[in-house]
Amino acid sequence: MLTERQLLILKAIVDDYITNAEPVGSRSVSKRDEVSYSPATIRNEMSDLEELGFLEKPHSSAGRIPSQKGYRYYVDHLLSPTKLTKGEVSDIESVLDHRFNEFEQLIKQSAKVLSSLTSYTSIVLGPEVFESTLRQIQLIPISSSQAVVIIVTDTGHVESQTVQFPGDLEGAELEKVVNILNDRLRGVPLARLQDKLSVEISTLLKQYVNQYESMLKMLGEVFQTHQNEKVFYGGKTNILAQPEFNNVERVRNILNIFEEDTLVSKLFRSEGNGLTIKIGEENRFEPFDDCTIITATYSLDGNHMGTVGILGPTRMEYPRVISIMDYLSKDMTKILTAWHQKNS
Amino acid sequence: MLTERQLLILKAIVDDYITNAEPVGSRSVSKRDEVSYSPATIRNEMSDLEELGFLEKPHSSAGRIPSQKGYRYYVDHLLSPTKLTKGEVSDIESVLDHRFNEFEQLIKQSAKVLSSLTSYTSIVLGPEVFESTLRQIQLIPISSSQAVVIIVTDTGHVESQTVQFPGDLEGAELEKVVNILNDRLRGVPLARLQDKLSVEISTLLKQYVNQYESMLKMLGEVFQTHQNEKVFYGGKTNILAQPEFNNVERVRNILNIFEEDTLVSKLFRSEGNGLTIKIGEENRFEPFDDCTIITATYSLDGNHMGTVGILGPTRMEYPRVISIMDYLSKDMTKILTAWHQKNS
DNA sequence: TTTAGCACTCGCAGATCGAGAGTGCTAACA
DNA sequence: TGTTAGCACTCTCGATCTGCGAGTGCTAAA
């Protein structure tokens, strides 16, 4: 167990390092208002804290920096959340209050505010489409051989896709198909559309439609090639401004990750509900060994919908970022709920 | 006028510098097969070429590097286009031959091949929507207060947009509206939809539709908020691998540009038809002062449609990149034309 | 238990230096 | 007269050294 004094010093060191990005020595800890011990005393304590694994020395005559364990302890026990300033609150609210037609606009906006407020990189994951269910499906021929399929989910997400399409299908038949699909598939989770298609729908189609084979094939493709949940970024290059990332090679590794949305959505998908903080190697992903990822979830009617995330250095402004994310994710939930009620 | 020998030497220097990224000295020029002069002779010529502005010295005892004027001369007069290797040709063809349903898939793929073949960053601009005309418009209610508007252009581009929608519009009326719109707007350039709407359509709607006011407002918004031409990237971080970009600050400047699609599409839109090469300051954009941008256009039925572009250092593998871009843009045009014929 | 004092460590920035690459000039050569 | 060998000179780069400053850890005194 750490003594009161050790806690005080650990907190002081983390706070200092977070703002200055430089190893902090005993003298500068001692000079802080909340600390009333001499440098020598601090040194002893620091030495102990190092032995316990909370601090590290870059080299023998530099100050100490928090270790991963140190950050973890800080986050779990020491950190005092900041109250958001009026400016921050109004930044968030004004951006989110903006009237929007599409779900995605809200998410894009959120990514933008989040990155501009924190000056880290923000990642916002759209709803996990596979968990949402189908509300409506439409089929619109746009040429003799092409059609647009539109799928609307219960969460209000709209997806359109152009497909090859049996040209000689006449209007009445087409309507029939659409009716069958809507009839049978409403409420079915997107992930299960495939199954339903091959089991129920195929026999039905056979009865009513001439071109049912190519139709089936087409539908099969549509249901298969669902987009993954979309990923939105804010301030992709913000992270380059952090002093710990002044190495082009490392930067490149990280930016490359951003190019693969599936990987990103795996890395940032939050498991639990609420706020999650992963520090350094806790991310279990080497390029992020000295990054911290904070995620929060937003939801609709109590159902987990998506994740907002922040990527920054382990030396992150935890108190502020946490407060912001907490506020933002709750606000998103609120607005989403209101929006959904209005549009269902 | 430059002498034969000066041309030979200039070409040798540019070629060498392009591949090695290091100032080239008289000795290494002299050692080349096509050059049969002693280093001393070369030195004299190099000195002259420098005086004429084709070469530069990083410092007095380094070799020479091509100046912007040197590259320009090289590109205009000296460069011998390489023949693409079988591998390159088949890379391009196999990627583009891939069956695709949506226009954008072709463009995305093109961006990808281009960047992977050149190892620079590729930028491909989609069709300039404002120049294309409307082929079909559809309106699908998806809830009591929302609808999806789908616009198909003559180039086969499909665009969907969710909008607020007068809920109490009944089926028959809706159909009427859609018919009017299609009737009156087919063949109209997207840029002119607004005008048409306020002039012709509004009076027509007034006759047939109860909710014509909110309907008009909604349509007005749809026609206004057209997406700009889309921008697709390939190998965004490729440029970081170039030795001239090992400075995080500069890299950040360039990557930031990529975050603003409108800016990018302005910078990369090609004016003329065919291949354009802009070297360094010719780009008239400071962050690109030591970059070269090569653009080529692809077209449909002879109409300029979009642009493929490459961003790399001024020290670019001109011969190879030019050949690749030429081939790719022509292939895109070919495939696009075939695709369009099939689907119109 | 806390603190002052002090020797010690180590990285960093600046200075110095030699090696290597390349130039420019001069003088000899074909 | 054009070409080339020779050579002194310039400049960068990396290695080595040095003093400084920041910071530590230990000891002994308060």
Side-chain angles (χ1 to χ4, degrees):
Chain A
M1 253 319 53
L2 298 181
T3 66
E4 272 306 307
R5 192 164 71 187
Q6 285 175 321
L7 297 182
L8 182 68
I9 291 174
L10 178 57
K11 180 164 183 329
I13 291 177
V14 177
D15 281 335
D16 188 310
Y17 187 65
I18 280 174
T19 58
N20 300 318
E22 257 161 39
V24 1
S26 53
R27 235 174 75 86
S28 57
V29 173
S30 161
K31 266 189 285 190
R32 289 183 148 251
D33 286 344
E34 73 269 28
V35 178
S36 55
Y37 305 95
S38 78
T41 311
I42 312 272
R43 276 206 289 282
N44 291 328
E45 296 289 22
M46 281 164 91
S47 178
D48 291 350
L49 282 169
E50 183 178 356
E51 212 159 304
L52 291 168
F54 294 102
L55 296 179
E56 284 171 357
K57 273 195 288 206
H59 58 84
S60 89
S61 85
R64 305 294 209 292
I65 63 176
S67 67
Q68 182 178 316
K69 187 175 169 192
Y71 284 123
R72 173 48 64 194
Y73 195 91
Y74 174 86
V75 164
D76 289 343
H77 304 107
L78 262 31
L79 152 163
S80 38
T82 38
K83 215 167 147 42
L84 297 190
T85 66
K86 288 222 179 86
E88 289 164 338
V89 170
S90 77
D91 272 4
I92 295 179
E93 304 227 308
S94 73
V95 167
L96 296 195
D97 266 8
H98 195 75
R99 210 166 44 79
F100 58 97
N101 294 327
E102 285 168 34
F103 189 78
E104 289 183 359
Q105 288 168 8
L106 173 69
I107 296 185
K108 259 186 219 168
Q109 293 296 341
S110 309
K112 217 177 259 178
V113 216
L114 190 51
S115 67
S116 84
L117 281 180
T118 62
S119 70
Y120 302 124
T121 298
S122 71
I123 289 97
V124 183
L125 305 186
E128 288 158 28
V129 281
F130 277 92
E131 293 190 7
S132 49
T133 65
L134 185 133
R135 188 201 284 166
Q136 187 178 348
I137 182 167
Q138 275 289 350
L139 202 54
I140 302 164
I142 58 171
S143 78
S144 60
S145 60
Q146 285 186 307
V148 178
V149 179
I150 295 181
I151 291 179
V152 185
T153 70
D154 59 336
T155 57
H157 176 73
V158 178
E159 210 171 284
S160 71
Q161 209 178 124
T162 310
V163 294
Q164 294 302 311
F165 171 76
D168 44 359
L169 205 65
E170 37 178 273
E173 266 193 336
L174 179 64
E175 203 171 321
K176 203 95 198 175
V177 172
V178 173
N179 283 341
I180 293 176
L181 291 177
N182 272 309
D183 218 45
R184 296 288 159 161
L185 296 180
R186 201 183 310 266
V188 173
L190 300 199
R192 299 217 45 244
L193 288 180
Q194 279 281 17
D195 308 344
K196 276 275 187 184
L197 181 69
S198 50
V199 180
E200 287 183 39
I201 312 286
S202 70
T203 48
L204 271 172
L205 281 186
K206 212 178 287 189
Q207 292 174 25
Y208 294 104
V209 187
N210 278 330
Q211 296 280 328
Y212 83 94
E213 270 178 353
S214 54
M215 185 57 112
L216 262 182
K217 184 158 159 282
M218 182 271 277
L219 288 172
E221 278 171 25
V222 172
F223 294 162
Q224 193 169 41
T225 62
H226 267 306
Q227 291 143 302
N228 287 318
E229 57 195 326
K230 284 204 180 156
V231 184
F232 299 89
Y233 301 89
K236 261 189 192 179
T237 66
N238 278 4
I239 202 163
L240 308 208
Q242 300 296 332
E244 34 267 275
F245 295 94
N246 55 4
N247 162 341
V248 176
E249 206 30 58
R250 177 189 297 173
V251 158
R252 187 162 186 229
N253 280 333
I254 292 190
L255 291 178
N256 270 337
I257 294 165
F258 291 161
E259 300 301 299
E260 291 195 47
D261 285 353
T262 43
L263 178 56
V264 170
S265 81
K266 216 177 289 169
L267 288 168
F268 283 80
R269 195 189 335 272
S270 168
E271 291 121 26
N273 254 3
L275 216 98
T276 311
I277 301 176
K278 298 227 168 183
I279 301 168
E281 293 169 6
E282 294 171 8
N283 290 302
R284 314 206 139 280
F285 187 62
E286 208 230 309
F288 288 166
D289 272 0
D290 35 21
C291 295
T292 283
I293 292 177
I294 303 187
T295 57
T297 55
Y298 61 92
S299 46
L300 178 56
D301 296 339
N303 295 319
H304 172 291
M305 265 206 99
T307 307
V308 305
I310 272 286
L311 175 70
T314 46
R315 181 189 65 77
M316 185 183 273
E317 278 191 83
Y318 292 96
R320 216 169 72 87
V321 173
I322 289 173
S323 303
I324 291 175
M325 303 248 328
D326 190 53
Y327 190 91
L328 176 72
S329 62
K330 283 183 181 144
D331 210 30
M332 281 177 72
T333 299
K334 207 172 69 194
I335 288 179
L336 212 53
T337 308
W339 180 76
H340 186 244
Q341 267 167 11
K342 203 185 82 190
N343 292 308
S344 54
Chain B
M1 257 310 58
L2 298 181
T3 67
E4 272 305 307
R5 193 165 70 187
Q6 284 174 322
L7 297 182
L8 182 69
I9 291 173
L10 178 55
K11 180 165 185 329
I13 291 177
V14 177
D15 281 336
D16 187 309
Y17 187 64
I18 281 174
T19 58
N20 300 318
E22 258 162 37
V24 1
S26 53
R27 236 174 75 85
S28 55
V29 173
S30 161
K31 266 190 283 190
R32 288 182 151 249
D33 286 345
E34 72 269 27
V35 178
S36 54
Y37 304 94
S38 77
T41 309
I42 313 273
R43 277 204 289 282
N44 290 328
E45 297 288 22
M46 281 164 92
S47 177
D48 291 350
L49 283 169
E50 184 179 355
E51 212 158 304
L52 292 168
F54 294 103
L55 296 179
E56 285 171 357
K57 271 195 288 205
H59 58 84
S60 89
S61 87
R64 305 296 209 293
I65 63 175
S67 68
Q68 183 178 316
K69 186 175 169 191
Y71 283 124
R72 174 46 66 192
Y73 195 91
Y74 175 86
V75 165
D76 289 342
H77 303 106
L78 263 32
L79 153 162
S80 39
T82 38
K83 217 169 145 44
L84 297 189
T85 66
K86 287 222 179 88
E88 289 164 338
V89 170
S90 77
D91 272 5
I92 295 179
E93 304 227 309
S94 73
V95 167
L96 296 195
D97 266 9
H98 194 74
R99 210 166 44 78
F100 58 98
N101 294 326
E102 285 168 32
F103 189 77
E104 289 184 359
Q105 288 168 6
L106 172 69
I107 296 184
K108 259 187 220 167
Q109 293 297 341
S110 308
K112 215 176 261 176
V113 215
L114 190 51
S115 67
S116 84
L117 281 180
T118 61
S119 70
Y120 302 124
T121 298
S122 71
I123 290 96
V124 182
L125 305 187
E128 287 158 28
V129 280
F130 276 92
E131 293 191 7
S132 49
T133 66
L134 185 133
R135 189 200 285 165
Q136 189 178 349
I137 182 167
Q138 276 288 351
L139 202 54
I140 302 164
I142 58 172
S143 79
S144 60
S145 61
Q146 284 186 307
V148 178
V149 179
I150 293 179
I151 290 179
V152 185
T153 70
D154 60 335
T155 57
H157 176 74
V158 178
E159 208 171 286
S160 70
Q161 209 177 125
T162 310
V163 294
Q164 295 301 312
F165 172 76
D168 43 2
L169 204 66
E170 36 176 274
E173 266 192 337
L174 180 64
E175 203 171 320
K176 202 95 197 171
V177 172
V178 172
N179 283 340
I180 291 176
L181 291 177
N182 273 308
D183 217 45
R184 294 289 158 162
L185 296 180
R186 200 184 310 267
V188 173
L190 300 198
R192 301 217 44 244
L193 288 179
Q194 280 281 18
D195 307 344
K196 277 274 187 185
L197 182 67
S198 50
V199 180
E200 288 183 37
I201 312 287
S202 69
T203 48
L204 273 171
L205 281 185
K206 212 179 284 187
Q207 293 174 24
Y208 294 104
V209 187
N210 279 331
Q211 295 279 326
Y212 83 94
E213 270 178 353
S214 53
M215 185 56 112
L216 262 183
K217 184 158 158 284
M218 181 272 276
L219 288 173
E221 278 171 24
V222 171
F223 294 162
Q224 192 168 45
T225 62
H226 267 304
Q227 292 143 301
N228 287 319
E229 55 195 326
K230 285 203 180 157
V231 184
F232 299 90
Y233 301 89
K236 261 189 193 178
T237 67
N238 278 4
I239 202 162
L240 307 207
Q242 300 295 332
E244 33 267 275
F245 295 92
N246 55 3
N247 162 341
V248 176
E249 206 32 56
R250 176 188 299 173
V251 158
R252 186 160 187 230
N253 281 332
I254 292 190
L255 291 178
N256 271 339
I257 294 165
F258 291 161
E259 300 301 300
E260 290 195 48
D261 285 354
T262 43
L263 178 56
V264 170
S265 80
K266 216 177 290 169
L267 288 168
F268 282 80
R269 196 192 331 274
S270 169
E271 291 122 26
N273 253 4
L275 217 97
T276 310
I277 302 176
K278 298 226 170 184
I279 301 168
E281 293 169 7
E282 294 171 7
N283 290 301
R284 314 209 138 280
F285 188 61
E286 205 229 310
F288 288 167
D289 271 1
D290 35 22
C291 295
T292 283
I293 293 177
I294 303 186
T295 57
T297 55
Y298 60 91
S299 47
L300 180 56
D301 296 339
N303 295 319
H304 171 292
M305 266 206 97
T307 306
V308 305
I310 273 286
L311 176 69
T314 46
R315 181 189 65 77
M316 184 183 273
E317 281 191 79
Y318 293 95
R320 216 169 74 86
V321 173
I322 289 174
S323 302
I324 290 176
M325 302 248 329
D326 190 54
Y327 190 91
L328 176 73
S329 62
K330 286 187 180 141
D331 211 29
M332 282 177 73
T333 299
K334 207 172 68 192
I335 289 179
L336 212 55
T337 307
W339 180 76
H340 186 245
Q341 269 168 10
K342 203 184 83 193
N343 293 308
S344 54

